[in-house]
Amino acid sequence: MNRLLTTVVGTFVESWQELRVHRGRVVLSLVGVTIAVASLAVVVGFGSLAERVTAAFNEQYGGRPATYSFNGSTTGSGSADPAGTAAVDDAAALDRELRAGAERYDVRYASEATFVQRDVQFPDGVALVQGTTVDPAYAEMHRVRLASGEWFTERDRDRLAPAIVVNRAFLERIGSPDIVTHPVVRLPGTPDVTAVVIGQVVSSEYDTDPSFYQLANSVATANAAVSPDLGAGRTFQAWVPAASGKAVAQRIAADAERALGPGWTVSADRSDAAGQVDGDPLGPLRWVIAGVAVLVLVLGGLGLLNVSLVSVRQRIREIGVRRGVGATAGRIFVAVLLENVLGTLVAGGVGVMVGAALLGNDTVRGLITQGVDVGGAPFPVEAALVGVGSAVLVGALAGFLPAIVAVRVKVIDAIRY
């Protein structure tokens, strides 16, 4: 056991000493690996951030996997509704039945998600603003994140002054007040409503139009006059497990149809991105990233292999002398292999740090994420692991052939060299 441990430690020490002796050669040979690993770390990190940004955008608009949207319509006395949707009272009945169905099947996250338009009194005049009527669960279903203030709670339904949550453009248009001061805004209607801004959502810098969220089944929605262009329909959403979600959604829709009576049609359609495409929606992006990473890695490995082969041929005399004083073929093989592995491990660490510094830059990260809050570490952990692991793998592969050449060196050849 002691002999084995001594051999292992001795081999590592020999390899490290060789790296120290040949510092110039090592540095030159590993410059390419460092650049390749840094490029690989940046590519993998960029891919990871891009996937998270894509997922964040998809979930903000369509919901998390698997989110189903429910809509209903009724023919009413054998003729279709002129607006193409149920009347206001029927829409409220549909909403009640869908909520009851979600509760019946233990759906934890369910929310109304109806788009509305309301007049808003800004300091520079009245403007028609796009809004969304939601429930508290909507924030978790659609990855809504707050820059300041708070999201809706059940207690907000009973506010005499209804609560709204706005985006940055909305807040800037009313003068950028501090949310903690509970700024108010007038919503003209019949009668007028004065709403309290309780939160500001995190939004992209490209989101330049004012928008707001209002709480379903509250004073705000009770006094809201829905735009005629949008009809009187209401959309209900449920976030269910992807495996059994389709069956649960169909049961909820079927139960609502039976409860509402003849003439009703209730549909359940999947709205999240994963349900809109076959297979993995981010699959093509992953394949492109993998292809670029492999190409970068191969180029770095080929450069290291060439330098290692030249280096071993220049050290034939040294290797022959070591063989002459008793070094075994196995020890020579492992020593030459470890020289490459230890060198590329250091190069990999440096490359990962360079990649982390680049992707950790606020300007670069902002260009990739486009202002979307994706969460997670500034530099993806998988990028660091892939970078270091790839560096070690390249070192082992690039050192294998030179190690074979070193093992075949004979003492007599070294004397003649």
Side-chain angles (χ1 to χ4, degrees):
M1 182 66 181
N2 290 335
R3 183 176 180 180
L4 177 61
L5 182 61
T6 301
T7 301
V8 173
V9 174
T11 303
F12 272 97
V13 172
E14 289 176 8
S15 301
W16 183 251
Q17 289 299 328
E18 287 294 334
L19 291 177
R20 293 183 58 192
V21 171
H22 303 281
R23 289 189 297 271
R25 173 185 60 80
V26 170
V27 170
L28 290 176
S29 65
L30 294 178
V31 167
V33 176
T34 302
I35 296 175
V37 171
S39 302
L40 179 63
V42 169
V43 168
V44 175
F46 171 81
S48 177
L49 287 176
E51 287 183 10
R52 284 152 60 183
V53 170
T54 302
F57 269 121
N58 290 339
E59 291 176 2
Q60 283 178 6
Y61 292 102
R64 296 178 186 263
T67 298
Y68 282 83
S69 294
F70 299 85
N71 292 278
S73 61
T74 179
T75 56
S77 303
S79 60
D81 190 309
T85 59
V88 174
D89 291 341
D90 288 340
L94 172 64
D95 183 73
R96 288 194 299 270
E97 293 301 329
L98 291 174
R99 291 178 184 277
E103 184 177 357
R104 184 182 308 116
Y105 292 103
D106 297 323
V107 176
R108 182 179 179 184
Y109 295 101
S111 170
E112 183 173 342
T114 302
F115 292 107
V116 297
Q117 290 181 332
R118 295 203 64 173
D119 286 329
V120 178
Q121 177 67 62
F122 291 110
D124 58 349
V126 177
L128 191 63
V129 178
Q130 181 76 46
T132 310
T133 304
V134 301
D135 287 277
Y138 184 91
E140 189 64 28
M141 296 168 61
H142 288 264
R143 289 179 60 115
V144 177
R145 297 293 179 263
L146 295 179
S148 60
E150 59 185 11
W151 185 249
F152 301 113
T153 64
E154 291 296 334
R155 296 189 303 272
D156 292 321
R157 298 190 196 275
D158 300 325
R159 283 177 176 263
L160 296 180
I164 60 173
V165 177
V166 302
N167 67 346
R168 182 176 56 186
F170 191 109
L171 198 65
E172 289 176 348
R173 192 159 177 183
I174 61 175
S176 300
D178 193 335
I179 295 295
V180 299
T181 63
H182 305 294
V184 297
V185 61
R186 189 170 69 89
L187 307 179
T190 309
D192 287 356
V193 175
T194 299
V196 179
V197 179
I198 64 171
Q200 176 197 344
V201 298
V202 175
S203 55
S204 168
E205 60 183 11
Y206 303 105
D207 185 13
T208 58
D209 294 327
S211 64
F212 67 93
Y213 295 95
Q214 63 181 12
L215 192 58
N217 299 328
S218 66
V219 175
T221 55
N223 288 278
V226 181
S227 171
D229 295 337
L230 299 178
R234 297 169 67 176
T235 300
F236 187 78
Q237 291 185 341
W239 178 23
V240 293
S244 58
K246 184 176 182 179
V248 173
Q250 289 177 344
R251 292 193 194 104
I252 294 175
D255 289 353
E257 279 190 7
R258 285 193 296 270
L260 292 169
W264 272 94
T265 300
V266 181
S267 63
D269 301 305
R270 190 165 175 177
S271 61
D272 62 279
Q276 305 301 317
V277 296
D278 294 330
D280 184 2
L282 300 178
L285 179 61
R286 291 192 177 96
W287 280 109
V288 171
I289 293 170
V292 174
V294 170
L295 179 61
V296 170
L297 194 59
V298 169
L299 293 176
L302 289 177
L304 178 61
L305 176 60
N306 290 332
V307 174
S308 299
L309 284 173
V310 173
S311 175
V312 167
R313 294 189 181 280
Q314 291 177 345
R315 295 166 54 196
I316 287 180
R317 182 182 296 277
E318 171 195 333
I319 295 171
V321 170
R322 292 177 63 184
R323 290 294 302 273
V325 297
T328 63
R331 185 155 185 171
I332 294 293
F333 180 88
V334 174
V336 174
L337 185 65
L338 281 180
E339 288 178 25
N340 287 274
V341 172
L342 291 177
T344 53
L345 179 60
V346 174
V350 174
V352 167
M353 287 189 289
V354 172
L358 181 61
L359 286 182
N361 182 272
D362 292 338
T363 302
V364 175
R365 187 178 176 86
L367 291 174
I368 298 174
T369 61
Q370 300 180 23
V372 178
D373 180 19
V374 297
F379 183 71
V381 177
E382 59 267 30
L385 296 177
V386 169
V388 174
S390 299
V392 173
L393 178 61
V394 166
L397 294 176
F400 184 79
L401 186 56
I404 294 287
V405 173
V407 167
R408 293 182 177 181
V409 172
K410 298 178 181 180
V411 177
I412 188 64
D413 294 334
I415 296 175
R416 292 172 178 173
Y417 187 78

